[in-house]
Amino acid sequence: MNQNINRQQVERVAHLSRLDLTEKELELFSGQLAAVVEYIQKLNELKTNGVEPLAHCLPVHNVFRNDAVKPSLATEDALANAPDRTDDFFKVPRILDDSSGA
Amino acid sequence: MLQGLNAIQLRNNIRDGQITSREAVEWTLERIANLDPGIGAYLSVFADKAMDQARVVDAKIAAGKPVGPLAGMPIAIKDNMCYVEGLTTCGSKILANFKPPYNAHAVEKLLAADAVIVGKTNMDEFAMGSSTENSGLQKTVNPWDTSRVPGGSSGGSAAAMAAGMCFAALGTDTGGSIRQPASLCGIVGLKPTYGRISRYGLVAYGSSLDQIGPLTSCVEDAALLLGVLAGHDERDSTSVDERMAPVPDYLGELGKPIDELKIAIVPELIDKAEASVRDAAKAALELYKKFGATLVEVQMPHFDYSIAAYYVIATAEASSNLARYDGCHYGYRSPHAHDYIEVYSKSRAEGFGAEVKRRIMLGTFALSSGYYDAYYLKALKVRNLIRQDYTNAFAKADCLMMPVAPTTAFKLGEKTDDPLQMYLADVYTIAVNLAGVPGVSIPCGFDEKRLPIGLQIIGPAFSEDKLLRIGRMFESKTDYHKQRPTLQG
């Protein structure tokens, strides 16, 4: 790999990350991220053929529990921090466009 | 009266009725009121609630009822652990008004042990940083020199401890965030083995790396706190089964030195630190030799790649973990959003600080289509090689010793414009998290500016009892850990 990050990719990654960045931030982060990504290329110096990827340090396996009902957050507690709500629901702006007439 | 007492001494005094928990809490609150305006360690202080908790403990003691191992002790908690009292902000504007509906497991454990929670401490936003300067809410300074950083990301907890504004504190360590501030503030900081302490109720940053641990004034106090916090919790699926790793009595044999101690060192790593740090580490090793320890030189050929691997893995995990801040369920919602996409993108843009945005983007980049194999998968393979370096070192020795940080506390603002320079401050601590092993920072000297220096002792998984005994050997013959900064309130 010799794939550094350019301004165009920073814009794409900002979009994927759902970050509405200002022009100034895009400029600043492009330079800073390019420096970090260049540093990370250091990993290429190592040959890793045949090395297993290590996602997790401990020999823990999938953990199962009994399928039993336990107390959980009350509706009011779960909604207490909501930026906006209607009755027992989180309220968000319209997601589906109804202009299609469907 | 209380100044200079460690947590165990205070606990004993309270339990024996020599002082009340109320007196200890009042003393602590007064100290916070006098000193914290100049330090900035606390984001919130729970004066009334703490006094209520103290009264309950005092009543139990007066009635001759049994009390927990932290009876009446004023403790501070890093603000990324949920506590139903007040707010849990994670040092972020996006959570500036978040009131947790439940307690973290670690908080439950403290309360069950009869501790008194005096407040929540400042931190780098979402624990991303090495100086606490990334806090979106407040500046924290080093009590030893207020023009310098306390380290990070648990900088508030370390500063509160060093300034005597609590008797023990909790922090979290993803790449050095307990050990490095402990080193820069002249206290003890323990990062336990991955999975030793449940993270239920801890705001996630890098889930394969994050671990909760204590910051204390001495090794004995760290052993006390770890004993309270360690153990299985089914609410955290990475919490380790105690049949595989039983929780020992950390205090039990703490005072017993390790016979024929073998210490692994990587000489060229020690030489990389600035002169004062290098010399203090070497002097500490000489002292261990006087105790009869043998130094074993080992190679860690992949150590040098740990920062690069970490900043791929940690940011990849962060980009996923922080996707939950969507402006819908809790946290900040931008008033400028017109549609649902803007609820996400504007709330996140306005709520997160620069370093959090950089890491989310870096992680998203490393995981994105076309780059996944080159960055993320590669970093996971290198992680395996780094862990192998530790396994090889521990095959030859009981522990590994090296500095905690390459320098003593640096100036506020010195590294804030250059993220990569800030990342390099974690050079000695980061690999421990990648390997999942425990590490402790203990005070081992001062530089010419009288800034504290820490020694890092690292061991195999679940060797905390041994690490603490090794640390205690040093502490019993030195008084670095007893020194505290001169403060004006």
Side-chain angles (χ1 to χ4, degrees):
Chain A
M1 79 184 163
N2 190 6
Q3 302 160 306
N4 209 329
I5 189 164
N6 56 34
R7 162 72 189 246
Q8 203 185 348
Q9 283 163 315
V10 171
E11 282 179 28
R12 179 175 156 266
V13 167
H15 169 72
L16 290 175
S17 310
R18 296 290 184 267
L19 288 167
D20 190 4
L21 300 184
T22 63
E23 186 58 32
K24 215 176 131 193
E25 283 179 311
L26 283 169
E27 201 57 44
L28 177 70
F29 293 160
S30 294
Q32 290 173 332
L33 290 175
V36 173
V37 171
E38 193 188 328
Y39 177 81
I40 287 169
Q41 314 273 349
K42 196 178 161 68
L43 295 174
N44 282 333
E45 295 168 15
L46 292 175
K47 285 207 167 47
T48 51
N49 300 340
V51 179
E52 283 292 308
L54 178 70
H56 203 285
C57 285
L58 296 171
V60 288
H61 306 288
N62 209 0
V63 179
F64 295 97
R65 63 169 172 77
N66 292 329
D67 186 16
V69 177
K70 287 187 176 177
S72 59
L73 278 188
T75 307
E76 273 311 304
D77 289 340
L79 285 162
N81 283 287
D84 200 1
R85 64 181 284 191
T86 302
D87 302 324
D88 282 352
F89 301 99
F90 294 99
K91 191 174 173 187
V92 294
R94 178 183 301 280
I95 290 171
L96 299 173
D97 183 359
D98 62 2
S99 63
S100 65
Chain B
M1 173 180 71
L2 296 181
Q3 195 146 11
L5 285 189
N6 65 33
I8 290 188
Q9 290 165 336
L10 177 80
R11 189 273 316 265
N12 291 347
N13 285 349
I14 291 172
R15 216 168 47 180
D16 300 345
Q18 290 172 33
I19 69 160
T20 62
S21 175
R22 267 170 316 181
E23 286 169 317
V25 173
E26 268 170 7
W27 182 88
T28 305
L29 292 172
E30 199 181 305
R31 224 173 138 78
I32 294 170
N34 288 336
L35 296 174
D36 207 41
I39 304 289
Y42 282 94
L43 287 174
S44 45
V45 176
F46 311 124
D48 294 341
K49 181 73 184 175
M51 287 303 289
D52 288 346
Q53 290 169 343
R55 267 187 282 274
V56 171
V57 176
D58 286 339
K60 279 193 201 172
I61 292 168
K65 290 183 188 158
V67 285
L70 305 179
M73 188 191 301
I75 287 186
I77 297 171
K78 186 177 182 179
D79 209 20
N80 57 353
M81 285 171 245
C82 288
Y83 181 34
V84 293
E85 191 70 15
L87 305 167
T88 294
T89 68
C90 228
S92 181
K93 288 197 176 99
I94 214 161
L95 285 176
N97 296 309
F98 179 66
K99 287 173 75 73
Y102 62 92
N103 285 329
H105 179 82
V107 170
E108 285 178 351
K109 285 282 194 179
L110 293 181
L111 294 173
D114 285 325
V116 174
I117 297 171
V118 285
K120 304 287 288 290
T121 55
N122 197 20
M123 54 184 285
D124 285 299
E125 184 177 6
F126 286 99
M128 298 178 187
S130 312
S131 69
T132 312
E133 291 166 291
N134 292 335
S135 170
L137 304 175
Q138 182 172 299
K139 182 168 89 174
T140 302
V141 300
N142 193 312
W144 292 89
D145 177 345
T146 55
S147 71
R148 292 174 188 275
V149 303
S153 66
S154 311
S157 286
M161 272 308 299
M165 298 191 290
C166 58
F167 286 83
L170 295 193
T172 58
D173 193 315
T174 306
S177 285
I178 289 173
R179 291 159 287 151
Q180 185 256 19
S183 174
L184 269 46
C185 288
I187 57 166
V188 172
L190 172 67
K191 181 217 113 57
T193 308
Y194 181 77
R196 182 75 291 185
I197 298 172
S198 165
R199 300 173 302 176
Y200 175 77
L202 166 68
V203 180
Y205 158 26
S207 298
S208 79
L209 306 157
D210 294 338
Q211 187 52 224
I212 294 171
L215 294 100
T216 56
S217 58
C218 60
V219 170
E220 205 182 358
D221 289 354
L224 173 70
L225 266 287
L226 183 61
V228 168
L229 298 166
H232 179 69
D233 170 27
E234 65 173 12
R235 297 169 300 182
D236 173 358
S237 62
T238 64
S239 161
V240 174
D241 189 333
E242 286 174 45
R243 281 168 302 185
M244 183 185 115
V247 179
D249 175 8
Y250 295 108
L251 276 169
E253 298 200 314
L254 186 67
K256 210 171 119 190
I258 307 277
D259 291 332
E260 294 175 32
L261 174 65
K262 286 202 192 82
I263 301 169
I265 55 164
V266 186
E268 60 269 29
L269 273 185
I270 297 174
D271 289 338
K272 269 191 186 171
E274 73 174 9
S276 60
V277 174
R278 178 197 65 204
D279 294 347
K282 286 187 173 174
L285 292 170
E286 284 306 312
L287 189 58
Y288 274 104
K289 271 161 77 179
K290 281 193 191 150
F291 300 152
T294 315
L295 303 190
V296 186
E297 289 192 15
V298 297
Q299 304 290 314
M300 298 190 80
H302 306 102
F303 194 89
D304 206 26
Y305 298 89
S306 51
I307 293 179
Y310 176 88
Y311 278 96
V312 174
I313 294 166
T315 61
E317 293 179 7
S319 73
S320 168
N321 274 326
L322 273 63
R324 75 191 63 184
Y325 301 100
D326 58 2
C328 295
H329 300 93
Y330 49 84
Y332 175 79
R333 176 185 291 187
S334 170
H336 309 113
H338 296 101
D339 57 31
Y340 77 100
I341 289 285
E342 284 190 358
V343 169
Y344 303 148
S345 61
K346 287 195 186 296
S347 300
R348 291 162 64 80
E350 292 164 25
F352 290 136
E355 181 60 22
V356 174
K357 290 177 187 171
R358 276 191 294 266
R359 294 201 194 187
I360 289 173
M361 288 197 292
L362 186 59
T364 304
F365 176 66
L367 291 175
S368 64
S369 171
Y371 298 94
Y372 181 93
D373 285 2
Y375 290 100
Y376 186 64
L377 202 62
K378 180 82 181 178
L380 290 184
K381 290 177 177 178
V382 173
R383 182 180 192 178
N384 204 351
L385 296 174
I386 291 167
R387 185 175 66 161
Q388 196 57 47
D389 279 359
Y390 280 95
T391 308
N392 295 344
F394 296 140
K396 294 177 186 156
D398 300 284
C399 69
L400 178 71
M401 287 192 192
M402 66 177 74
V404 182
T407 67
T408 53
F410 46 91
K411 288 270 188 188
L412 291 159
E414 191 180 315
K415 297 181 200 278
T416 41
D417 291 337
D418 189 344
L420 188 56
Q421 283 310 307
M422 190 72 92
Y423 299 171
L424 297 175
D426 300 332
V427 60
Y428 289 115
T429 47
I430 256 176
V432 161
N433 300 75
L434 292 172
V437 296
V440 62
S441 169
I442 61 169
C444 75
F446 292 88
D447 72 1
E448 65 288 351
K449 296 186 281 289
R450 207 175 142 64
L451 296 169
I453 300 168
L455 173 73
Q456 187 174 202
I457 314 172
I458 303 159
F462 306 108
S463 68
E464 287 90 347
D465 51 341
K466 205 167 176 183
L467 282 191
L468 292 167
R469 278 170 67 189
I470 295 168
R472 181 68 199 140
M473 287 165 71
F474 186 81
E475 215 178 65
S476 66
K477 299 285 185 225
T478 57
D479 72 346
Y480 302 117
H481 65 287
K482 289 185 178 155
Q483 301 192 33
R484 286 292 172 262
T486 315
L487 294 163
Q488 273 140 21

